[in-house]
Amino acid sequence: VVDVLVLSPLGVRRDRQRQGIGAALVTESLAAIRHRPEPLVFLEGVPAYYPRLGFRSASSMGFTPPSTRIPDAAFMAFPLDAYEPSLRGALVYPDVFWRADAVGLRP
């Protein structure tokens, strides 16, 4: 078992979108956690948005999502300083994600 980080759910109110708030939240979060001992940060997100912030397809890196409710294109990861390319496996969400119904993209 390897501890990882998860940066979702994350959202910006619709009337505040397209002002750089989301990008700033993600960029600052990644800067704050870059040197932590965990190797990766995962998220469920819009495939057209997060790759420009350095996220890539988690499945192409050898990881499987914690639920079939997460489309493959939305399952992304960002390698941190401790990342080793040989790391593979299934992401397992803690129970609180399921209790809060915070798994899977929403329209």
Side-chain angles (χ1 to χ4, degrees):
V1 175
V2 175
D3 287 336
V4 296
L5 302 170
V6 177
L7 186 62
S8 57
L10 173 74
V12 175
R13 282 184 4 197
R14 289 198 190 278
D15 64 327
R16 299 288 188 190
Q17 291 178 353
R18 303 202 185 281
Q19 298 177 32
I21 297 167
L25 287 170
V26 173
T27 301
E28 291 297 318
S29 296
L30 294 175
I33 64 175
R34 179 167 299 281
H35 302 297
R36 288 183 53 101
E38 296 87 356
L40 294 151
V41 59
F42 289 90
L43 65 72
E44 301 173 32
V46 178
Y49 183 79
Y50 289 97
R52 71 184 178 97
L53 300 173
F55 282 86
R56 28 191 221 217
S57 165
S59 61
S60 72
M61 296 170 69
F63 300 100
T64 55
S67 171
T68 57
R69 289 170 53 180
I70 303 168
D72 186 60
F75 181 51
M76 291 178 261
F78 183 95
L80 299 171
D81 289 351
Y83 173 68
E84 293 291 332
S86 61
L87 188 60
R88 305 260 187 273
L91 175 62
V92 178
Y93 279 161
D95 213 32
V96 67
F97 275 68
W98 302 103
R99 288 193 313 267
D101 193 27
V103 178
L105 293 182
R106 302 296 185 269

